[in-house]
Amino acid sequence: MPADKGGNGAQSGIGAAVRRKEDFRFITGAGRYTDDITLPGQSYAYFLRSPYAHAQIAAIDIAAAEASPGVVAVFTGKDVAADGLGGLICGWMIHSKDGSEMRTGAHPVLALDRVRYVGDHVAVVIAESLAEAKAGAELIDVDYEEYDAVVGVEAALAENAPQLHDEVPGNLCFAWELGDKAATEAAFDRAARRVTLTFANNRLIPNAMEPRAAIGDYDRGTGDYTLYTTSQNPHVARLVLSAFVGVAPEHKLRVIAPDVGGGFGSKIFIYAEETVCVWAAAKLRRPVKWTAERNESFLSDAHGRDHVSHAELALDADGRMLGLRVHTRANLGAYLSTFASSVPTYLYGTLLSGQYDIPAIYVEVDGVFTHTAPVDAYRGAGRPEATYLVERIVETAARELDMDPVEFRRRNFIREFPHQTPVIMNYDIGDYDASLNEACRLVDYAGFADRRAASEARGRKRGIGFSAYIEACGIAPSQAVGSLGAGVGLWESAEVRVNPTGSVEVLTGSHSHGQGHETTFAQLVSDQLGIPIENVEVVHGDTDKVQFGMGTYGSRSGAVGMSAIQLALDKVIAKGRRIAAHLLEAGEEDITFDGGSFQVAGTDRAVPFADLALQAYTGHGFPTNEIEPGLKESAFYDPVNFTFPAGCHIAEVEIDPETGVTHIENFVAVDDFGTIINPMIVAGQVHGGVAQGIGQAMLENCAYDPESGQLLSGSFMDYCMPRADDLPEFVVGMTETPCTTNPLGIKGCGEAGAIGAPAAIVNAVTDALGIRDIAMPVTPERVWRAINS
Amino acid sequence: MPTVTMTVNGKQRSAEAETRTLLVSFLREQLGLTGTHVGCDTSQCGACVVHVDGVAVKSCTLLAVQADGAEVTTIEGLAKGRELHPIQAAFKEHHGLQCGFCTPGMIMTAVDMLRRIPEPDEPTIRAELEGNFCRCTGYHNIVKAIKAASEAM
């Protein structure tokens, strides 16, 4: 943080629980989401989707659909190909352990001759109304030749398994490795004890409450394209649609992501539907709108997780970790989604050291194609899978050593920083004892034995489970991720525009879809410039307004996005000081900036920020041949390292053995997110993340029929979303070791809940039942069967 | 096409609607009241809750023609100008929303809840929210907001 700052601290600055600026429009029904927008002459798109998991398309007859009332046009993959559009892309190249590039087939916007999952896009019908588009789609006659399908990784890798892509023999996209194999083998050779576990990390469907939507528009006078869409990263969408898919030139395409109703990763990616809307709008010379129905979200939003892993932990005679060996098979779905290949590799294998000093780690990951919807980043993206694996095997090891799980963790914690793990990451700072101790205090670990006895006296089974997670946010530096295969840089941009009246607009490449950036980013500006938060406007989500930016995912907006704003603010203050030196007739080195005022040190001569802003624009009081008029600065911030949020989650559960129902008695989350801008918003992020983590552990599961490849959990009646009465009141605590590698010390808080919670729940349930393992989600049926088997 | 007439947020509104038009579509598309949201297609999520003759209903479960002649209140009709309803104010004060998409339905459900149960305890609030999904907040602050509103009212 710069030495000089405005110091608007207590009420609205850094650390204050400022109520959100964006709330008024949402609580009064005045939010503006994509589906709320209606353009003149708008038409409606409906996508005909494959009813089969795997089939050859022999022919598509669209004549009857084209003649159907209200239908404007019917397009198939041939029309898209005829216009020369490219396919959808994956932006991260993974190399297999033999050095070869990952293998993948084409991902056409609309299917050409083959469909590869239930919900794959076959055709689009565009009509005057949605009802007419749907009626038209009913009349499309597709001649399918159905083939066998595979939905699980084991089946897909089996000999003679049905093949997804001709270019991918054996359905193996990549066979990746990380770590020192020989050193890890040596560690196992000298181990006094080995602990092994084999388990799945269940597949999830993100289910942001706002379904995906898009409106394409085309101005035939100017040749400008506009796409309104539910995106977490509108600039990246524009780049992909222009440079790779080739829908429109980048400078002629405007992407607007207005209010977006949650993303959790699922709105990072560039999908077929928005591509078709903007392409068809230009073809038809009228706006084309598509809004997903929830069943389409289930079928075609990128799913999350879906690993099968075998893990082995080597320990010495004193219970110290010597090595970790992991083999994971990751389900990628039918096609590689935008960042799919990075999730089970560099966002997963690199986190397998957890909070522990493990001298040797070796991980192999096989990325496997199956006849299911594409799998990509979902809240946590790789880190929940890593944490679940590490914390499940750590808890299991403690039990097999007959050690207290808290003591076992303490024995193996990393305590010296920076710490280089065997899997790329260099942790800059942390205090894992602090978060563990605070979590134990909040849950009253000392009183657990009594509570367990009381439960037993009532015929109930009580258990406690720990999860000391670590994650990595703010993926960077760009050069480093480029060397690992990333197709983009992962910096962020900001522009701070001071207006002549002293009010400020902040243009950020981050995107807010629930995170509260309009408040927290304004808090930073208010704090640094010493101006009222009401005078700060945060502008995001429109490529015509905002400079190129990378968007919001991976808990990066605070650590990277706000760092960029800080750099721009530093430049504003530096320029303000130069101008103030002239206005106050003093040396620049004598000008301080504090409390919203530039001042000559040691005197009462000062110029308030707003007055200086006006002077900057009149240019009357300083030589404009030396200092340009105006007060507007921009910055691109590229982090020098990842940030490493960490913490400890503890779940305490009570199980009714008669019914198998698990009740969460306590859930404590203690997190170290570094510097906190707004504790109210940070706690809200923890609540939501934990709810999704508990959802994974106890309720949610995406299931495909292994024979037909049909999605069995295709609606809210079949996919168990967490409801209010499924969840407890959460206890949230904080510890703080500011990140050492960015200007504000922020680590990131958006995903920690979803990362930490699942292992805590499953550790608690297995503790209560006295069993080694149980599959997620731990439904009453699974618990009842475990008790009665 | 039949003409449907109803009193919406205190004003009489008429528009043509196909008989198959759902109330939520009528409100959003015919009347332009886009504060009421559609989050699912199985009447599970509750993003579309409005009040029909003073009672909370999921407006995706009702045809517009069934609401002919009814008094309908949507999220747009809850505040008096800039003066928020106590439940709206409590959602803001207690950070009971993040992305805001489920919020209109949550608030309309909460208004109906407190009309029927003026002083609900926390388990009651959670049980009453059974028909409303939120993916952002884990419900923690929504429950707090409704509790606080019940105390303030």
Side-chain angles (χ1 to χ4, degrees), chain A residues 657-719:
Chain A
E658 296 291 316
T659 61
V661 169
T662 300
H663 186 257
I664 302 171
E665 298 291 316
N666 288 307
F667 197 100
V668 171
V670 175
D671 302 287
D672 177 357
F673 297 136
T675 304
I676 285 172
I677 305 296
N678 184 322
M680 177 191 79
I681 286 175
V682 167
Q685 290 292 310
V686 173
H687 299 156
V690 167
Q692 288 178 2
I694 292 174
Q696 169 166 30
M698 300 182 69
L699 304 163
E700 299 178 40
N701 192 48
C702 169
Y704 282 93
D705 180 76
E707 297 298 320
S708 66
Q710 292 294 325
L711 180 63
L712 302 175
S713 54
S715 81
F716 283 146
M717 293 189 289
D718 310 293
Y719 185 90

Side-chain angles (χ1 to χ4, degrees), chain A residues 701-760:
Chain A
N701 192 48
C702 169
Y704 282 93
D705 180 76
E707 297 298 320
S708 66
Q710 292 294 325
L711 180 63
L712 302 175
S713 54
S715 81
F716 283 146
M717 293 189 289
D718 310 293
Y719 185 90
C720 190
M721 288 277 282
R723 296 170 195 249
D725 57 357
D726 292 317
L727 299 171
E729 187 175 343
F730 307 118
V731 177
V732 174
M734 301 285 167
T735 59
E736 188 175 320
T737 59
C739 172
T740 63
T741 58
N742 65 43
L744 292 162
I746 295 173
K747 294 182 179 177
C749 66
E751 296 160 292
I755 291 167

Side-chain angles (χ1 to χ4, degrees), chain A residues 19-20 27 33 35-36 131 206 209 262 294-295 514 684 687-688 692 700 717 722-724 727 729-730, chain B residues 20 28 35 39 41 44 75 82 88 92-93 95 98-101 122 126 130 135-137 139-140 144:
Chain A
R19 301 306 185 263
R20 298 201 320 171
I27 57 181
Y33 301 87
D35 188 55
D36 299 340
M209 289 316 301
R294 181 58 61 179
N295 70 81
H687 299 156
Q692 288 178 2
E700 299 178 40
M717 293 189 289
R723 296 170 195 249
L727 299 171
E729 187 175 343
F730 307 118
Chain B
R20 64 180 169 183
R28 286 180 57 80
D41 44 15
Q44 307 278 302
I75 188 70
R82 297 289 295 187
Q88 290 172 311
K92 180 179 167 83
E93 176 62 23
H95 191 32
Q98 290 180 26
C99 81
F101 194 79
E122 194 189 309
R126 288 182 182 273
E130 187 194 41
R135 196 55 154 166
C136 294
T137 66
Y139 305 96
H140 184 101
K144 284 219 166 349

Side-chain angles (χ1 to χ4, degrees), chain A residues 491-559:
Chain A
W491 43 264
E492 194 49 273
S493 69
E495 185 172 304
V496 174
R497 283 189 198 159
V498 182
N499 297 317
T501 58
S503 65
V504 172
E505 285 128 26
V506 182
L507 292 83
T508 170
S510 301
H511 185 273
S512 187
H513 33 280
Q515 296 88 342
H517 296 168
E518 290 168 39
T519 303
T520 50
F521 289 12
Q523 279 181 256
L524 172 63
V525 175
S526 168
D527 189 284
Q528 299 287 291
L529 297 183
I531 60 175
I533 194 166
E534 296 75 24
N535 292 359
V536 184
E537 194 68 20
V538 176
V539 181
H540 66 96
D542 183 341
T543 60
D544 260 18
K545 291 182 182 169
V546 179
Q547 69 289 342
F548 196 99
M550 293 308 298
T552 289
Y553 41 83
S555 306
R556 68 193 303 275
S557 297

Side-chain angles (χ1 to χ4, degrees), chain A residues 19-24 26-31 33 35-37 44 129 131-132 204-211 259-262 264 289 293-296 378-379 513-516 680-685 687-689 691-692 695 700 714-717 719 721-732, chain B residues 18 20 28-29 32-47 58 74-79 81-85 87-104 106-107 122-123 125-144:
Chain A
R19 301 306 185 263
R20 298 201 320 171
K21 287 163 69 81
E22 46 270 83
D23 280 357
F24 184 81
F26 295 130
I27 57 181
T28 57
Y33 301 87
D35 188 55
D36 299 340
I37 297 166
Y44 296 81
S129 72
E132 287 167 325
L204 303 174
I205 301 179
N207 277 316
M209 289 316 301
E210 180 206 22
D259 286 331
V260 174
F264 316 112
K289 181 179 192 173
E293 297 186 2
R294 181 58 61 179
N295 70 81
E296 296 183 279
Y378 166 63
R379 201 171 195 166
H513 33 280
Q515 296 88 342
M680 177 191 79
I681 286 175
V682 167
Q685 290 292 310
H687 299 156
Q692 288 178 2
E700 299 178 40
S715 81
F716 283 146
M717 293 189 289
Y719 185 90
M721 288 277 282
R723 296 170 195 249
D725 57 357
D726 292 317
L727 299 171
E729 187 175 343
F730 307 118
V731 177
V732 174
Chain B
E18 291 184 78
R20 64 180 169 183
R28 286 180 57 80
E29 286 153 31
L33 294 168
T34 55
T36 303
H37 296 150
V38 180
C40 77
D41 44 15
T42 51
S43 294
Q44 307 278 302
C45 80
K58 289 179 174 172
T74 70
I75 188 70
E76 289 93 341
L78 208 55
R82 297 289 295 187
E83 189 195 331
L84 297 172
H85 184 283
I87 293 175
Q88 290 172 311
F91 267 67
K92 180 179 167 83
E93 176 62 23
H94 295 276
H95 191 32
L97 65 150
Q98 290 180 26
C99 81
F101 194 79
C102 77
T103 308
M106 282 286 177
I107 289 175
E122 194 189 309
I125 295 171
R126 288 182 182 273
E128 286 283 325
L129 290 177
E130 187 194 41
N132 292 76
F133 289 166
C134 171
R135 196 55 154 166
C136 294
T137 66
Y139 305 96
H140 184 101
N141 286 340
I142 291 175
V143 173
K144 284 219 166 349

Side-chain angles (χ1 to χ4, degrees), chain A residues 2 13 35 117 119 141 145 207 220 259 267 323 338 364 371 414 430 432 444 506 508 572 593 635 647 685 781 787:
Chain A
D35 188 55
Y117 66 100
D141 186 10
E145 185 184 345
N207 277 316
R220 67 186 178 87
D259 286 331
K267 294 171 181 169
T338 315
E364 295 171 277
H371 293 106
I414 294 161
Y432 309 139
D444 182 23
V506 182
T508 170
V572 166
F593 181 61
Q685 290 292 310
E781 183 192 345
I787 293 168

